[in-house]
């Protein structure tokens, strides 16, 4: 048996590791994806005052700290049985849109674009964002930096602190927005809308009009037939901050539409000893392993799934793009690589939504907090993190001290789907008896990169791309072949 | 001038420290000009083996973020120590344990039990727990061993400098990098760099009464937050007295929220929790044991407040389970 | 004896230390388990002194100051009292029995009382057993050198 260890972000980081086993004929026997770390937030939240949770949990992930801050803030509201005033609710959402802009811009340009703009077969050494700058011009390169920064600037203007926010307090937010700050947010958000449109145009020209790329996108290596999950508003349109969780099966039929406090009736998690990360699955189907199809419990919570479960987008430009998207790829769409396109549509929505909120007359209202008065008990908060539906669940004593905490975080939702996508890509490439080609690395990379996996913050970098190394070992463990992407 | 040889690494980290470095935005390009990177997992492509192959002390400057939580973190810390002239504990986690070190109030077994057995969404009738080595039909899979305790970087290897903050303020990061790149004389080893030399209170603009008298503590959860008055005066715990200046008052000023101490200890203090007890005790307005007890009862979770970011450095250990 | 408890006593100079001294000069017998540290006032005892004592191997810490109203510096013993109650609370969070730290008022003339107190506190600590906590994690996980 040959063993191939793909350390996508090098063994060094220890934030994700792929191992491929070949049988003696050189055919793929199995693929394992491992997460080598657990930090134990669910335990050490116990004993903390519940209002401190929104300040602690952002450290789960420094790439999407606002998602945790928001889900936690909502869970704490629920614990205290308090509803924030409308202005506070809108301010939170506006703050959150800042993070969506920051994160989606970074992901598309630093990660996805190198494959498409430059082409998967381009010179490896240039297949990163600086390579894009070279190809499309410095102007765009600096735009990317600018708009990524705008995301953070919006967060700072609205909530004071962007990296590990401290904005949410039970029943609202810690401070109102001034008119001066509001104007600045509006200006940046409007520019962001234009940049999002530009990015979609770029994607259209470079990818959609290129049959070679379309072949890759629609090729069998990148189809994954699993269920979809995402948050929707009252009209079943995509929403990141609030709403109900909608689940559609592989055929596109709604099979669940649940409130945050109903998550335990819908979700469960499976444990394997070879990885520190659990595998969430849909309870109604049960855990049947890493398998596709209508009977499997595996689901996906990504930009693609959010579009799949929704009936549309709540803003006009994004809605037009949504229609173009499904007219092109069909609904439900199971093409893993179409996730990049979906992400750009979400970016456009986030920018439009930021403008809407910044222009809302209520947004500068001084009434940003409803002080809790009831005895705290238990609460669940859900938001749509960039990388998947994020659930925080806290139970407290009557003083609001956390007794139990349960978290199902963004990327974890996609754990099973990522494993399966990696395996599929590998199977499409590894041919019996032939040596494993260097191209495998990029194919695998492309498969899991589509999920924008959070455990590899390598997805949010400038300049950046995954370093990769594949070691092919024979059954005695001797190294036969080393493939390096650099 | 030859380029500065730099490495950036994350151990038990949230990635936020790396994002903070990238948040020097346009200056990233300038840093890229002045530095040659030997390792920066978030941004660049270098391999473990490449670092191992380097001569000892080849890297001029390593910015190490994240706490030491498992065998792999420790292994890399040792490797980078060997290869680096200057090793910097970057960010609260590497500096004093950070948020991950709150886990030191619990044992590894308790943490595993909660995550893999007890959690209400977990279905695990066999009680399966992650194992360092797992045999599978095709061979064996390994993952690092999780430690029973979370350590700061200097508890496993020697460290030259500390850059505090969760994450460090990007402006400060730029100042530090700029100082090193421009060849400015560095402070003596063991120093904290990229931060102030006083307590946060000294630069906080909030109005405070010198002779505070508190007859009960309030909680952020149930108290309106006054934007101009010292939080301690409002009866709210604020770590300003025992926290180093340098973050730009991101919580106390920009966000109207009390400080939780991420910039670590100011000079001359050895234990944030012990010092905070002294600071808080001096504002309690009571002399009778019974009254004091009542007031202290309004202040839950002192350990979680005072050691929010510095549990690894607490003089207190955890009782053996 | 190896399982004899180690106790650190911080005594204020003006009352309690003098009291302990009196116990000595009056040849009142009391436990040798108590190591005395003299401080000017109980209010000068930083909580970090107590933590340091525990960290360095003490199984219990005794803090003694002047009786209420008698502090040479007026307010020092009240300050000590407030610190003591806070510290005791927090130590509990680390799994430490609150009784391992005790605060008592001992005047300069209470040599006998100090001796009894030292003995009874030692007995109490002996009953609790050695402070078997993980001081800084597991040695094998840490620095080898
Ligand atoms: S110090 Fe803060 S930002 Fe840096 S890795 Fe630790 S938790 Fe993340
Ligand atoms: S305690 Fe907090 S609010 Fe008060 S002065 Fe210090 S930093 Fe400012
Ligand atoms: S105010 Fe305190 S907790 Fe907030 S960033 Fe500054 S040092 Fe850190
Ligand atoms: S002098 Fe004895 S307690 Fe102050």
């Amino acid at each position: 048996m040959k063993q191939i260890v793909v350390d996508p972000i090098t063994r060094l980081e220890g934030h994700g590791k792929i191992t491929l086993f070949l049988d003696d004929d050189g055919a793929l026997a199995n693929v394992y994806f491992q997460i080598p770390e657990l930090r134990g937030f669910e335990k050490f939240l116990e004993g903390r005052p519940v209002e401190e949770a929104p300040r602690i949990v952002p450290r789960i992930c420094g790439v999407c700290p606002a998602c945790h801050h928001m889900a936690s803030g909502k869970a704490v509201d629920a614990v205290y049985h308090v509803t924030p005033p409308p202005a506070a609710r809108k301010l939170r959402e506006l703050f959150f849109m800042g993070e969506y802009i920051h994160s989606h811009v970074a992901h598309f340009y630093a990660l996805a674009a190198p494959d498409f703009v430059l082409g998967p077969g381009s010179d490896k050494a240039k297949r990163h964002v600086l390579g894009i700058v070279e190809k499309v011009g410095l102007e765009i390169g600096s735009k990317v930096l600018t708009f990524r920064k705008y995301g953070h600037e919006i967060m700072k203007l609205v909530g004071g602190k962007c990296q590990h926010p401290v904005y949410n307090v039970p029943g609202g937010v810690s401070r109102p927005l001034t008119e001066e700050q509001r104007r600045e947010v509006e200006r940046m958000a409007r520019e962001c809308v234009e940049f999002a449109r530009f990015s979609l145009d770029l994607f259209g020209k470079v990818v959609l009009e290129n049959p070679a790329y379309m072949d890759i996108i629609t090729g069998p290596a990148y189809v994954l037939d699993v269920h979809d999950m995402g948050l929707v508003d009252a009209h079943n349109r995509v929403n990141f901050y609030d709403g109900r969780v909608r689940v559609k099966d592989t055929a596109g039929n709604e099979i669940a539409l649940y409130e945050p406090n109903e998550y335990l009736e819908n979700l469960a998690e499976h444990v394997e000893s070879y990885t520190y990360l659990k595998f969430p699955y849909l309870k109604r189907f049960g855990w049947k392993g890493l398998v596709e199809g209508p009977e499997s419990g595996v689901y996906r919570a990504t930009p693609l799934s959010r579009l799949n479960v929704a009936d549309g987008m709540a803003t006009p430009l994004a809605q037009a793009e949504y229609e173009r998207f499904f007219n092109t790829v069909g609904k439900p769409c199971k093409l893993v690589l179409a996730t990049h396109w979906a992400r750009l549509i979400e970016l456009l929505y986030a920018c439009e939504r930021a403008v809407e909120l910044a222009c809302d007359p209520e947004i500068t209202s001084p009434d940003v907090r409803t002080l809790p008065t009831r005895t705290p008990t238990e609460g669940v908060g859900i938001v749509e993190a960039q990388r998947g539906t994020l659930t925080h669940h806290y139970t407290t004593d009557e003083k609001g001290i956390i007794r139990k905490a349960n978290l199902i975080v963004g990327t974890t939702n996609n754990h099973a789907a990522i494993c399966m996508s990696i395996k599929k890509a590998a199977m499409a490439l590894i041919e019996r008896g032939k040596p494993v080609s260097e191209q495998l690395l990029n194919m695998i990379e492309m498969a899991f990169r589509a999920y924008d996996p959070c455990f590899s913050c390598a997805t949010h970098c400038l300049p950046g791309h995954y370093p990769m190394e594949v070691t092919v070992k024979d059954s005695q463990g001797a190294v036969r072949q080393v493939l390096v992407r650099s | 001038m030859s380029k500065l040889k730099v490495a950036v690494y994350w151990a038990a980290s949230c990635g936020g420290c790396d994002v903070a470095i990238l948040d020097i935005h346009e200056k990233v390009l300038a840093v890229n000009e002045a530095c040659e990177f030997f390792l920066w997992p978030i941004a660049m492509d270098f391999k473990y083996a490449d670092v191992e192959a380097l001569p000892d002390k080849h890297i001029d400057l390593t910015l190490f973020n994240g706490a030491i939580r498992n065998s792999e973190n420790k292994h890399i810390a040792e490797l980078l120590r060997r290869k680096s002239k200057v090793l910097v504990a970057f960010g609260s986690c590497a500096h004093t344990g950070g948020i991950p070190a709150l886990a030191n109030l619990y044992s590894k077994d308790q943490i595993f039990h909660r995550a893999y057995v007890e959690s209400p969404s977990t279905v695990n009738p066999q009680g399966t727990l992650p194992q360092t080595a797992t045999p599978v039909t095709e061979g064996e899979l390994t993952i690092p061993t999780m430690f029973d305790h979370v350590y700061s970087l200097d508890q496993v290897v020697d460290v030259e400098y500390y850059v505090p903050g969760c994450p460090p303020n990007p402006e400060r990061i730029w100042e530090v990098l700029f100082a090193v790149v421009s060849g400015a004389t560095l402070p003596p080893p063991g120093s904290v760099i990229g931060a102030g030399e006083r307590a946060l209170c000294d630069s906080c603009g909030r109005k405070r009464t010198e002779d505070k008298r508190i007859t009960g503590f309030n909680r952020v959860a149930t108290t309106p937050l006054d934007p101009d008055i010292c939080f301690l005066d409002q009866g709210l715990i604020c770590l300003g007295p025992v926290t180093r200046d340098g973050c730009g008052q991101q919580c106390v000023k920009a966000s109207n929220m009390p400080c939780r101490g991420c910039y670590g200890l100011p000079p001359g203090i050895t234990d944030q929790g012990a010092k905070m007890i002294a600071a808080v005790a001096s504002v309690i307005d009571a002399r009778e044991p019974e009254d004091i007890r009542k007031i202290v009862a309004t202040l839950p979770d002192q350990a979680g407040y005072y050691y929010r970011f510095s549990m690894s450095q607490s003089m207190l250990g955890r009782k053996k389970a | 004896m190896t399982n004899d408890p180690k106790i650190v006593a911080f005594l204020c100079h003006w009352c309690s230390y003098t009291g302990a001294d009196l116990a000595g000069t009056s040849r009142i017998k009391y436990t040798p388990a108590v190591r005395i540290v003299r401080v000017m006032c109980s209010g000068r005892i930083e909580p970090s002194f107590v933590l340091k004592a525990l960290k360095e191997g003490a199984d219990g810490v005794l803090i003694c100051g002047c009786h209420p109203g008698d502090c040479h510096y007026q307010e020092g013993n009240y300050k000590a009292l407030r610190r003591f109650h806070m510290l005791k609370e927090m130590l509990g969070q680390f799994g430490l029995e609150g009784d391992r730290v005790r605060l008592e008022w001992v005047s300069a003339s209470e040599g006998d009382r100090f001796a009894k107190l030292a003995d009874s506190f030692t007995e109490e600590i002996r009953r609790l057993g050695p402070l078997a906590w993980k001081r800084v994690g597991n040695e094998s996980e840490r620095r080898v050198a």
Side-chain angles (χ1 to χ4, degrees), chain A residues 55 59 161 163-164 166, chain B residues 92 165-167 169 200 238-240 243-253 255 257-264 272 308-309:
Chain A
R55 300 190 70 160
R59 275 80 182 186
K161 187 172 189 281
Q163 198 59 1
H164 300 323
V166 296
Chain B
S92 304
C166 178
N169 184 344
L200 181 66
C238 177
L239 276 265
T243 300
R244 194 181 277 266
D245 192 10
C247 70
Q249 288 122 354
Q250 290 184 66
C251 305
V252 291
K253 191 165 172 208
S255 313
M257 286 289 272
C259 172
R260 290 292 174 258
C262 80
Y263 260 63
Q272 240 174 340
R308 179 68 55 84
F309 292 92

Side-chain angles (χ1 to χ4, degrees), chain A residues 203-454:
Chain A
F203 188 83
K205 283 203 199 80
V206 176
V207 181
L208 303 180
E209 288 168 21
N210 185 329
Y213 290 169
M214 287 311 280
D215 281 353
I216 296 173
I217 290 178
T218 54
Y222 298 113
V223 178
L224 194 72
D225 193 25
V226 294
H227 313 295
D228 288 306
M229 174 185 288
L231 206 59
V232 292
D233 67 14
H235 307 285
N236 285 334
R237 296 172 307 197
V238 170
N239 198 293
F240 300 142
Y241 176 75
D242 216 0
R244 285 183 292 182
V245 178
R246 197 179 201 198
V247 184
K248 284 191 172 181
D249 67 9
T250 51
N253 305 310
E254 177 183 300
I255 50 171
L257 183 63
Y258 66 86
E259 295 288 345
N261 61 12
E262 296 165 333
Y263 84 102
L264 285 173
E265 286 141 48
N266 290 279
L267 288 187
E269 296 175 286
H270 170 79
V271 181
E272 289 284 352
S273 66
Y274 66 80
T275 178
Y276 284 108
L277 195 66
K278 292 185 275 191
F279 294 86
Y281 58 91
L282 296 172
K283 224 169 172 175
R284 62 160 60 211
F285 297 111
W287 176 253
K288 300 196 174 126
L290 298 168
V291 289
E292 291 181 75
E295 293 308 315
S296 167
V298 177
Y299 66 94
R300 183 162 49 189
T302 64
L304 176 63
S305 359
R306 294 194 280 262
L307 263 51
N308 271 336
V309 299
D311 296 345
M313 309 299 286
T315 56
L317 298 174
Q319 172 61 22
E321 291 292 337
Y322 174 95
E323 284 161 22
R324 181 158 80 116
F325 178 81
F326 283 116
N327 286 338
T328 313
V329 295
K331 194 175 181 187
C333 171
K334 301 289 165 189
L335 308 174
V336 175
L337 295 182
T339 309
H340 296 301
W341 188 3
R343 192 171 285 115
L344 284 178
I345 297 171
E346 286 194 341
L347 171 65
L348 181 57
Y349 163 71
C351 299
E352 284 186 283
R353 183 72 186 133
V355 174
E356 267 179 25
L357 288 162
C359 295
D360 191 301
E362 212 171 20
I363 203 84
T364 49
S365 158
D367 179 20
V368 295
R369 182 135 189 229
T370 307
L371 221 51
T373 51
R374 293 174 59 189
T375 307
T377 52
E378 181 174 5
V380 181
I382 291 185
V383 297
E384 202 54 47
Q386 291 91 33
R387 296 152 196 88
T389 314
L390 171 62
T391 308
H392 281 236
H393 177 191
Y394 311 136
T395 310
T396 71
D397 66 10
E398 75 290 346
K399 291 197 170 128
I401 305 299
I402 297 179
R403 286 279 161 262
K404 297 289 168 204
N406 194 36
L407 317 171
I408 301 179
V409 310
T411 293
T412 311
N413 289 289
N414 298 315
H415 187 188
I418 290 170
C419 293
M420 291 156 67
S421 280
I422 290 167
K423 184 170 177 176
K424 267 201 140 168
M427 288 185 89
L429 253 288
I430 294 176
E431 287 174 64
R432 191 175 293 268
K434 285 196 187 159
V436 177
S437 78
E438 194 271 340
Q439 207 190 346
L440 167 77
L441 306 179
N442 197 40
M443 292 293 280
I444 290 170
E445 243 186 357
M446 285 171 67
F448 71 83
R449 189 188 290 152
Y451 294 89
D452 186 10
C454 186

Side-chain angles (χ1 to χ4, degrees), chain A residues 59 164, chain B residues 12-17 65-66 90-93 99-100 165-168:
Chain A
R59 275 80 182 186
H164 300 323
Chain B
S13 149
C14 75
C17 277
N65 70 71
F90 188 87
S92 304
C93 295
I99 293 281
C166 178

Side-chain angles (χ1 to χ4, degrees), chain C residues 7 12 19 31 33 36-37 40 46 54-55 74 111-112 130 143:
Chain C
I7 289 164
C12 100
T31 170
I36 293 176
V37 179
M40 284 316 282
E46 288 285 328
L54 294 170
K55 184 188 172 190
Q74 264 98 46
D112 191 43
R143 201 195 290 244

